[in-house]
Amino acid sequence: PDLYITIGISGAVQHIAGIPGARNVVAINRDAHANILKHARHGVAGDRQLRLPPFPLPPQAQHGRGPLR
């Protein structure tokens, strides 16, 4: 992919092995020493809830009435 965004991924070996085809890796992790940040082109160390706006959910997901699609 052209853009791969990780949020809260520590960077386990299995995960790192799956991302070399991505042109741009953006990682957000609260642990400044997380392995994923060493492999990301752009990395942010911090709490995702403070770094990202809330994602709106479809009404059925907010009320637990079915899977997200």
Side-chain angles (χ1 to χ4, degrees):
D2 287 334
L3 176 62
Y4 186 75
I5 300 172
T6 69
I7 301 171
I9 300 295
S10 64
V13 174
Q14 298 87 344
H15 186 77
I16 297 301
I19 64 171
R23 287 186 184 173
N24 294 292
V25 177
V26 177
I28 300 173
N29 194 293
R30 72 175 113 189
D31 178 4
H33 303 288
N35 191 38
I36 191 71
L37 295 174
K38 296 174 190 170
H39 297 274
R41 177 171 282 194
H42 305 286
V44 177
D47 189 331
R48 67 173 171 78
Q49 292 179 341
L50 299 176
R51 301 290 182 178
L52 295 173
F55 293 105
L57 295 174
Q60 68 272 20
Q62 292 177 6
H63 301 291
R65 291 189 230 144
L68 291 175
R69 295 186 181 180

